[in-house]
Amino acid sequence: MEASPKIQLHSQAKEIIYNVNQYFQKKENEGVIVEVSKATSRTAAATKVSLRTLSRICKEGRDNEESIELPKFKSPKKRQRTTPIADFFDDFNKGVLRRTVLSFYERKDIPTLDKIHKEIKESLSYPGSRETLRKVLKKIGFQYAKVNGRRFLMERSDVAYARCKFLREMRKHLSCEKNIVYLDETWVNQNYTVSKCWVDNNSEKAVGVKVPTGKGGRLIVLHAGTKDGFVSDASLIFMAKNDGDYHNQMNAESFEKWFQQQLLPNIHPSSVIVMDNASYHSRRINTITKWLQEKGVQVSQGFLKAELMQLVRQHTTDADVNNYVIEKMASEHGHTVVRLPPYHCQYNPIELIWAQVKGYVSVRNKFKIADLKPLTHEAINSITKENWKNAVAHAERIQEEDARKDVVIDKFVDSFVITLTSSDEESE
């Protein structure tokens, strides 16, 4: 007897075969379970599927019969994996989302989740749900504010304060024509490439760039620049472990060493250094307890960190920024550090420069880790003074627009609160 070919069965098919076997064993022991004349009911009972499902399968079989042999059945299509929302909302898209929300106030319109969701779908082709969008909004500093029983979306006061403080500081430094230095870190993956290219749909060969699976090794890039270009001899590029967010690869010791040895000696006197609030940028000179004690604040031994931080907020003044190691280092060399407000990377023109650097790498990358570092240096060297000049002008234009918007938003929210208060008093 000729052996039948081995058939690879899916888990669901194996389960059905097992159910049928158990059904007939039960039938032999207990007699007929379902009348023989009721074939459909017997089949449903044996396979443990519903009558509706069985009817649909039988119809598909009749429609697809090609011979006296068993008909061919279709399997459900596998769902294509979409871009994770965590990856979708990068720093750039978070900036667009923030500006979208604030534009509602500028138009004198109350932003709701439905309105924001609709606009983001149109402007960014956002693929996620409303609830995911709600979580992202909370993450970048928005919350529902309650005003006399009504709730509407508002930016957190601490984020709005940090933005106003930054914009005022920058306006002052720009009016004095200070040299502004922008610094930041980014990453470049070994398998980084373009997301789109021309392909021939009629060819089996010209179907796009073949990229190795996975992200491969990763380079961390740290640099700084001004409207005149990158700061000379300030480039730091090193290989990092591929274990998640590149921010976790940096540490205060490495950053401070670069800041002291490569940045400060190569910038103009009395420069203004713009940087974000990453943890490795913000190492304090003193511990929290020691800092509070120097302020004359009584600290109990059993205080938790959350309680200590509340005391810090109550006793912090603008003069206390020198408690950070970086601010102290800059001050000793005659420079000033200005911190970006949280979630406002659009104020840092180096973000646009990084996009151009990555674009250069993406079209020339050969996916070999040995070639990635030289290619990244080449990409950095390709950035011109004109590129930096345009990027800085763009960032300054956004700062001016947002400063104007803050005045409009403040007046609108204030009038909205007054209107609500008046209407509530009248209703009473």
Side-chain angles (χ1 to χ4, degrees):
M1 181 177 178
E2 186 177 336
S4 59
K6 187 176 180 180
I7 302 175
Q8 297 292 333
L9 297 176
H10 292 288
S11 59
Q12 289 178 320
K14 292 178 180 179
E15 182 182 353
I16 291 175
I17 292 172
Y18 174 80
N19 291 338
V20 172
N21 179 260
Q22 292 294 307
Y23 175 84
F24 284 117
Q25 286 184 8
K26 189 175 182 180
K27 177 175 179 282
E28 289 174 359
N29 297 331
E30 302 178 11
V32 177
I33 300 173
V34 181
E35 293 181 22
V36 177
S37 60
K38 298 180 178 179
T40 303
S41 299
R42 282 167 61 82
T43 305
T47 56
K48 291 188 178 180
V49 299
S50 67
L51 289 171
R52 178 177 294 181
T53 299
L54 179 62
S55 176
R56 188 172 64 250
I57 293 172
C58 291
K59 183 179 184 303
E60 183 180 346
R62 289 192 298 270
D63 294 342
N64 293 298
E65 281 182 340
E66 296 178 351
S67 63
I68 58 174
E69 298 178 358
L70 290 175
K72 295 181 179 180
F73 294 94
K74 296 180 180 179
S75 296
K77 291 183 179 179
K78 292 184 179 179
R79 292 182 60 184
Q80 293 184 350
R81 297 181 63 181
T82 57
T83 303
I85 302 303
D87 294 339
F88 178 84
F89 277 108
D90 55 13
D91 290 340
F92 176 81
N93 284 347
K94 285 178 183 177
V96 174
L97 177 58
R98 171 177 298 282
R99 293 172 66 79
T100 299
V101 177
L102 298 183
S103 68
F104 278 92
Y105 291 106
E106 191 178 18
R107 302 194 303 263
K108 298 184 178 181
D109 186 14
I110 296 295
T112 65
L113 194 60
D114 285 330
K115 293 177 183 177
I116 299 167
H117 186 246
K118 182 179 179 182
E119 287 209 10
I120 290 296
K121 284 182 70 175
E122 293 176 356
S123 61
L124 291 179
S125 299
Y126 169 64
S129 65
R130 291 170 66 259
E131 289 307 309
T132 302
L133 182 61
R134 185 199 304 274
K135 294 177 183 177
V136 176
L137 285 166
K138 291 180 70 175
K139 188 175 181 180
I140 64 173
F142 285 94
Q143 60 186 2
Y144 270 99
K146 186 174 182 180
V147 183
N148 293 320
R150 301 191 188 185
R151 297 172 69 86
F152 60 99
L153 193 64
M154 282 284 295
E155 190 175 30
R156 281 202 335 244
S157 58
D158 59 321
V159 177
Y161 168 75
R163 181 177 63 249
C164 292
K165 180 182 176 184
F166 172 84
L167 294 174
R168 289 183 190 278
E169 286 187 77
M170 291 301 294
R171 184 182 298 169
K172 178 184 69 176
H173 293 311
L174 288 170
S175 65
C176 296
E177 298 184 352
K178 289 288 189 72
N179 180 56
I180 313 293
V181 180
Y182 303 92
L183 69 85
D184 192 30
E185 306 85 6
T186 191
W187 53 266
V188 180
N189 282 326
Q190 175 185 345
N191 297 333
Y192 191 75
T193 188
V194 294
S195 58
K196 294 181 179 180
C197 67
W198 288 101
V199 299
D200 184 357
N201 292 326
N202 298 318
S203 171
E204 295 182 0
K205 295 182 179 180
V207 292
V209 179
K210 186 176 181 181
V211 182
T213 57
K215 294 183 178 180
R218 171 177 291 183
L219 292 180
I220 305 299
V221 185
L222 173 58
H223 216 325
T226 70
K227 63 181 180 180
D228 296 321
F230 277 113
V231 174
S232 300
D233 301 321
S235 173
L236 176 63
I237 303 176
F238 63 95
M239 182 64 65
K241 297 177 182 178
N242 193 11
D243 62 352
D245 188 353
Y246 72 89
H247 288 99
N248 298 329
Q249 304 291 328
M250 288 290 293
N251 58 60
E253 183 180 356
S254 299
F255 178 77
E256 290 164 12
K257 181 179 178 181
W258 170 85
F259 192 86
Q260 178 76 44
Q261 298 181 2
Q262 291 186 249
L263 181 66
L264 294 180
N266 295 306
I267 58 178
H268 296 304
S270 303
S271 290
V272 175
I273 304 170
V274 176
M275 58 194 294
D276 62 29
N277 298 279
S279 58
Y280 44 85
H281 294 170
S282 308
R283 186 165 69 90
R284 290 185 177 273
I285 300 171
N286 297 327
T287 63
I288 298 174
T289 303
K290 185 177 179 181
W291 184 86
L292 287 169
Q293 289 173 345
E294 290 180 354
K295 288 283 184 178
V297 181
Q298 295 296 324
V299 180
S300 299
Q301 189 173 358
F303 268 22
L304 300 176
K305 185 177 179 180
E307 295 173 299
L308 293 174
M309 290 308 298
Q310 180 61 30
L311 290 174
V312 169
R313 284 189 285 271
Q314 292 173 1
H315 294 85
T316 298
T317 64
D318 290 341
D320 293 322
V321 294
N322 286 331
N323 189 49
Y324 289 118
V325 173
I326 290 299
E327 269 81 352
K328 187 172 185 295
M329 291 168 60
S331 178
E332 290 173 349
H333 287 76
H335 306 299
T336 303
V337 171
V338 177
R339 299 279 181 155
L340 287 160
Y343 321 115
H344 285 74
C345 67
Q346 70 272 22
Y347 294 159
N348 195 345
I350 200 172
E351 295 288 350
L352 295 176
I353 300 300
W354 287 146
Q356 294 174 53
V357 168
K358 289 186 176 183
Y360 186 98
V361 171
S362 67
V363 298
R364 295 167 176 81
N365 195 6
K366 303 301 182 184
F367 315 122
K368 294 181 180 179
I369 194 64
D371 298 335
L372 187 59
K373 190 171 182 178
L375 179 59
T376 304
H377 277 295
E378 184 182 313
I380 290 174
N381 293 333
S382 73
I383 302 299
T384 65
K385 179 180 177 179
E386 191 69 19
N387 294 142
W388 265 102
K389 182 180 178 181
N390 292 335
V392 170
H394 177 76
E396 290 178 356
R397 186 163 56 250
I398 291 177
Q399 292 174 29
E400 291 174 4
E401 291 175 358
D402 285 359
R404 177 179 52 79
K405 285 181 180 179
D406 276 340
V407 176
V408 175
I409 292 168
D410 189 59
K411 289 182 179 179
F412 171 66
V413 173
D414 185 54
S415 64
F416 182 69
V417 172
I418 292 173
T419 302
L420 282 178
T421 304
S422 301
S423 62
D424 287 348
E425 288 174 351
E426 291 173 2
S427 62
E428 291 176 358

